[in-house]
Amino acid sequence: ATNAMSPFRATLLARLLYSGASPIAALRVAALGDSVVRGDTSHLPREDQESARFGRGNYPQELETLLDCEAANFGASGATAIDDNRQYIKRKQYQEAIEWRPDVVVLLLGVNDAKVATEGTKQFRTRQFLKGYAQILRAFVDDFPDLRAVYVVEPYPIIKTCCDIRLDLVNEDVLPTVAEAVAEVPDDFPVPVRLVDLAPIWQEKTGCGDAVDDKCWSYYDGDGLHTSAKGAELLATTVAEALEATLGYAPSYAPSSRKPAPQPSYASSRKPSLQPTPRREPTKIPTRPEPIPR
């Protein structure tokens, strides 16, 4: 793929830079991932919306408002990173994203890889997960001709086993392995791939790291896995701050002579390496299912 910006988009970006406006306003930001991204389905045609999901919020819509840019929701329920028939890049939402031609991709994916009902094993398939994630990142470069940067969001901890998605596998295996997948991106990868380290911020803001109480539950849908509208707002705010800090007035595709914007604490400051990174100690997160409060 040739990552050459169209003359129109280049001219628009130049005008925004000259006027002092943030170049994010000129960008198309695609939110890719699973049902956490899909959210309340309010972005879909009315006949495809699901009233049972309306309480989940829609973080890509919130992101569009926060960044004052064009953002779109390409979440696919049940999507995985592992290469099987559910892998995200095999879903129709991904084909729709290709047609939309984003400049920036934000990927939130991984919880469905903790399902055990159809996997034939009770252990997390770390090697297959890392391989599948690498395939997805490479597909982005091949399929998005205007791509300038990829942001991988480390999923937030879940507080209840739901839908055959085991709480312990998500919180103890998926979260650190997503960070590992970003760390393994090679130095010569064609576009920047940055980690949005959501889990620590999520734990701090929600209080779930201390107790799964009413405050914690207010950020989740009743299944303990998907966000509530409040949780979607927190997710969007964290992603928006990461994009503003690293794109902002010094976009990732600016001339290399410019100094890169400082990395925020929630974005990856690790230099990508071909070598596997040590597994970090998991964030303090619940490891046992909690009942839905009455």
Side-chain angles (χ1 to χ4, degrees), residues 216-248:
C216 172
W217 268 102
S218 71
Y219 289 86
Y220 291 85
D221 187 35
D223 60 12
L225 187 153
H226 297 90
T227 66
S228 64
K230 186 176 180 181
E233 291 177 3
L234 175 57
L235 174 56
T237 298
T238 305
V239 172
E241 290 177 351
L243 266 65
E244 286 180 327
T246 51
L247 293 175

Short mmCIF file of all heavy atoms in Angstrom, two decimals, residues 216-248:
data_model
loop_
_atom_site.label_atom_id
_atom_site.label_comp_id
_atom_site.label_asym_id
_atom_site.label_seq_id
_atom_site.Cartn_x
_atom_site.Cartn_y
_atom_site.Cartn_z
N CYS A 216 -18.29 1.60 41.15
CA CYS A 216 -17.65 0.80 40.11
C CYS A 216 -18.68 0.33 39.09
O CYS A 216 -18.48 0.48 37.88
CB CYS A 216 -16.94 -0.39 40.77
SG CYS A 216 -16.28 -1.62 39.62
N TRP A 217 -19.78 -0.22 39.56
CA TRP A 217 -20.80 -0.74 38.66
C TRP A 217 -21.40 0.33 37.76
O TRP A 217 -21.88 0.03 36.67
CB TRP A 217 -21.91 -1.41 39.46
CG TRP A 217 -21.68 -2.88 39.67
CD1 TRP A 217 -21.23 -3.49 40.80
CD2 TRP A 217 -21.90 -3.92 38.71
NE1 TRP A 217 -21.13 -4.84 40.61
CE2 TRP A 217 -21.55 -5.14 39.34
CE3 TRP A 217 -22.35 -3.95 37.40
CZ2 TRP A 217 -21.63 -6.37 38.69
CZ3 TRP A 217 -22.44 -5.18 36.75
CH2 TRP A 217 -22.08 -6.36 37.39
N SER A 218 -21.36 1.59 38.19
CA SER A 218 -21.97 2.65 37.39
C SER A 218 -21.28 2.85 36.05
O SER A 218 -21.84 3.48 35.15
CB SER A 218 -21.99 3.96 38.17
OG SER A 218 -20.67 4.51 38.31
N TYR A 219 -20.07 2.32 35.89
CA TYR A 219 -19.33 2.45 34.64
C TYR A 219 -19.56 1.25 33.71
O TYR A 219 -19.03 1.22 32.60
CB TYR A 219 -17.84 2.59 34.92
CG TYR A 219 -17.47 3.93 35.53
CD1 TYR A 219 -17.54 4.14 36.91
CD2 TYR A 219 -17.07 4.99 34.73
CE1 TYR A 219 -17.23 5.37 37.46
CE2 TYR A 219 -16.74 6.23 35.27
CZ TYR A 219 -16.82 6.41 36.65
OH TYR A 219 -16.52 7.62 37.19
N TYR A 220 -20.34 0.27 34.18
CA TYR A 220 -20.55 -0.96 33.41
C TYR A 220 -22.03 -1.15 33.10
O TYR A 220 -22.91 -0.73 33.86
CB TYR A 220 -20.07 -2.17 34.21
CG TYR A 220 -18.58 -2.27 34.39
CD1 TYR A 220 -17.94 -1.59 35.42
CD2 TYR A 220 -17.80 -3.04 33.53
CE1 TYR A 220 -16.57 -1.69 35.60
CE2 TYR A 220 -16.43 -3.15 33.71
CZ TYR A 220 -15.82 -2.47 34.74
OH TYR A 220 -14.46 -2.56 34.91
N ASP A 221 -22.27 -1.84 32.01
CA ASP A 221 -23.58 -2.39 31.73
C ASP A 221 -23.85 -3.50 32.76
O ASP A 221 -22.94 -3.94 33.47
CB ASP A 221 -23.58 -2.96 30.30
CG ASP A 221 -24.94 -3.41 29.84
OD1 ASP A 221 -25.95 -2.77 30.21
OD2 ASP A 221 -25.02 -4.41 29.10
N GLY A 222 -25.09 -3.97 32.84
CA GLY A 222 -25.44 -4.97 33.83
C GLY A 222 -24.71 -6.29 33.68
O GLY A 222 -24.70 -7.10 34.62
N ASP A 223 -24.07 -6.53 32.53
CA ASP A 223 -23.35 -7.79 32.35
C ASP A 223 -21.93 -7.75 32.92
O ASP A 223 -21.23 -8.77 32.94
CB ASP A 223 -23.31 -8.20 30.87
CG ASP A 223 -22.61 -7.18 29.97
OD1 ASP A 223 -21.94 -6.26 30.49
OD2 ASP A 223 -22.75 -7.29 28.74
N GLY A 224 -21.49 -6.58 33.40
CA GLY A 224 -20.16 -6.47 33.98
C GLY A 224 -19.03 -6.51 33.00
O GLY A 224 -17.85 -6.56 33.38
N LEU A 225 -19.35 -6.46 31.71
CA LEU A 225 -18.33 -6.53 30.65
C LEU A 225 -18.36 -5.28 29.77
O LEU A 225 -17.32 -4.66 29.54
CB LEU A 225 -18.54 -7.79 29.82
CG LEU A 225 -17.50 -8.14 28.76
CD1 LEU A 225 -17.48 -9.64 28.52
CD2 LEU A 225 -17.76 -7.43 27.43
N HIS A 226 -19.53 -4.94 29.27
CA HIS A 226 -19.65 -3.75 28.41
C HIS A 226 -19.75 -2.49 29.26
O HIS A 226 -20.05 -2.55 30.45
CB HIS A 226 -20.87 -3.88 27.51
CG HIS A 226 -20.79 -5.03 26.55
ND1 HIS A 226 -21.27 -6.29 26.88
CD2 HIS A 226 -20.28 -5.12 25.30
CE1 HIS A 226 -21.05 -7.11 25.86
NE2 HIS A 226 -20.45 -6.43 24.89
N THR A 227 -19.51 -1.36 28.64
CA THR A 227 -19.61 -0.10 29.36
C THR A 227 -21.06 0.31 29.52
O THR A 227 -21.94 -0.08 28.74
CB THR A 227 -18.89 1.04 28.62
OG1 THR A 227 -19.57 1.30 27.37
CG2 THR A 227 -17.43 0.70 28.35
N SER A 228 -21.31 1.14 30.51
CA SER A 228 -22.52 1.95 30.57
C SER A 228 -22.24 3.22 29.77
O SER A 228 -21.13 3.41 29.24
CB SER A 228 -22.85 2.30 32.02
OG SER A 228 -21.82 3.12 32.56
N ALA A 229 -23.22 4.11 29.68
CA ALA A 229 -22.98 5.39 29.01
C ALA A 229 -21.86 6.15 29.72
O ALA A 229 -21.01 6.78 29.08
CB ALA A 229 -24.26 6.22 28.98
N LYS A 230 -21.81 6.06 31.04
CA LYS A 230 -20.76 6.73 31.82
C LYS A 230 -19.40 6.13 31.51
O LYS A 230 -18.39 6.84 31.38
CB LYS A 230 -21.10 6.60 33.30
CG LYS A 230 -20.18 7.37 34.24
CD LYS A 230 -20.68 7.25 35.67
CE LYS A 230 -19.80 8.01 36.65
NZ LYS A 230 -20.29 7.87 38.05
N GLY A 231 -19.36 4.80 31.40
CA GLY A 231 -18.10 4.14 31.06
C GLY A 231 -17.63 4.49 29.66
O GLY A 231 -16.43 4.67 29.42
N ALA A 232 -18.58 4.62 28.72
CA ALA A 232 -18.22 5.00 27.36
C ALA A 232 -17.62 6.39 27.31
O ALA A 232 -16.69 6.67 26.55
CB ALA A 232 -19.45 4.92 26.45
N GLU A 233 -18.13 7.29 28.16
CA GLU A 233 -17.57 8.64 28.23
C GLU A 233 -16.14 8.61 28.74
O GLU A 233 -15.27 9.32 28.22
CB GLU A 233 -18.44 9.51 29.14
CG GLU A 233 -19.81 9.84 28.59
CD GLU A 233 -20.65 10.64 29.55
OE1 GLU A 233 -20.13 11.00 30.64
OE2 GLU A 233 -21.82 10.92 29.24
N LEU A 234 -15.87 7.80 29.76
CA LEU A 234 -14.51 7.69 30.29
C LEU A 234 -13.57 7.11 29.24
O LEU A 234 -12.44 7.59 29.07
CB LEU A 234 -14.50 6.83 31.55
CG LEU A 234 -13.13 6.53 32.15
CD1 LEU A 234 -12.37 7.80 32.49
CD2 LEU A 234 -13.29 5.65 33.40
N LEU A 235 -14.03 6.10 28.54
CA LEU A 235 -13.22 5.50 27.47
C LEU A 235 -12.90 6.52 26.40
O LEU A 235 -11.75 6.65 25.97
CB LEU A 235 -13.98 4.31 26.88
CG LEU A 235 -13.38 3.62 25.66
CD1 LEU A 235 -11.97 3.14 25.93
CD2 LEU A 235 -14.27 2.43 25.25
N ALA A 236 -13.91 7.27 25.97
CA ALA A 236 -13.70 8.27 24.92
C ALA A 236 -12.76 9.37 25.39
O ALA A 236 -11.88 9.82 24.63
CB ALA A 236 -15.04 8.88 24.52
N THR A 237 -12.89 9.80 26.63
CA THR A 237 -12.02 10.86 27.16
C THR A 237 -10.56 10.40 27.18
O THR A 237 -9.65 11.16 26.80
CB THR A 237 -12.47 11.24 28.58
OG1 THR A 237 -13.81 11.75 28.53
CG2 THR A 237 -11.55 12.31 29.16
N THR A 238 -10.33 9.17 27.61
CA THR A 238 -8.96 8.64 27.67
C THR A 238 -8.34 8.54 26.29
O THR A 238 -7.18 8.93 26.07
CB THR A 238 -8.96 7.27 28.36
OG1 THR A 238 -9.59 7.37 29.63
CG2 THR A 238 -7.54 6.75 28.53
N VAL A 239 -9.11 8.04 25.33
CA VAL A 239 -8.61 7.93 23.96
C VAL A 239 -8.38 9.31 23.36
O VAL A 239 -7.35 9.55 22.71
CB VAL A 239 -9.59 7.11 23.09
CG1 VAL A 239 -9.17 7.15 21.62
CG2 VAL A 239 -9.65 5.67 23.58
N ALA A 240 -9.29 10.23 23.58
CA ALA A 240 -9.15 11.59 23.04
C ALA A 240 -7.88 12.26 23.57
O ALA A 240 -7.14 12.91 22.82
CB ALA A 240 -10.38 12.43 23.39
N GLU A 241 -7.62 12.11 24.86
CA GLU A 241 -6.42 12.72 25.44
C GLU A 241 -5.15 12.10 24.86
O GLU A 241 -4.15 12.80 24.64
CB GLU A 241 -6.45 12.57 26.96
CG GLU A 241 -7.52 13.44 27.62
CD GLU A 241 -7.59 13.22 29.13
OE1 GLU A 241 -6.94 12.27 29.63
OE2 GLU A 241 -8.31 13.98 29.79
N ALA A 242 -5.19 10.80 24.59
CA ALA A 242 -4.02 10.14 23.99
C ALA A 242 -3.78 10.67 22.58
O ALA A 242 -2.64 10.95 22.19
CB ALA A 242 -4.23 8.64 23.96
N LEU A 243 -4.84 10.83 21.80
CA LEU A 243 -4.70 11.34 20.43
C LEU A 243 -4.24 12.79 20.44
O LEU A 243 -3.37 13.19 19.65
CB LEU A 243 -6.01 11.20 19.67
CG LEU A 243 -6.17 9.92 18.83
CD1 LEU A 243 -6.20 8.68 19.72
CD2 LEU A 243 -7.42 9.97 17.98
N GLU A 244 -4.80 13.60 21.32
CA GLU A 244 -4.41 15.01 21.36
C GLU A 244 -2.95 15.17 21.78
O GLU A 244 -2.25 16.05 21.27
CB GLU A 244 -5.32 15.76 22.34
CG GLU A 244 -6.72 15.98 21.81
CD GLU A 244 -7.60 16.72 22.80
OE1 GLU A 244 -7.40 16.52 24.02
OE2 GLU A 244 -8.48 17.47 22.36
N ALA A 245 -2.49 14.33 22.69
CA ALA A 245 -1.12 14.45 23.18
C ALA A 245 -0.10 14.04 22.13
O ALA A 245 1.01 14.59 22.09
CB ALA A 245 -0.93 13.61 24.44
N THR A 246 -0.45 13.08 21.28
CA THR A 246 0.53 12.56 20.33
C THR A 246 0.31 13.04 18.90
O THR A 246 1.24 13.02 18.09
CB THR A 246 0.53 11.02 20.34
OG1 THR A 246 -0.81 10.56 20.19
CG2 THR A 246 1.10 10.50 21.64
N LEU A 247 -0.91 13.50 18.59
CA LEU A 247 -1.15 14.13 17.29
C LEU A 247 -1.12 15.63 17.48
O LEU A 247 -0.21 16.32 17.05
CB LEU A 247 -2.48 13.67 16.70
CG LEU A 247 -2.56 12.19 16.31
CD1 LEU A 247 -3.97 11.84 15.85
CD2 LEU A 247 -1.58 11.87 15.21
N GLY A 248 -2.15 16.16 18.16
CA GLY A 248 -2.18 17.57 18.53
C GLY A 248 -1.70 18.48 17.43
O GLY A 248 -2.15 18.42 16.29
#
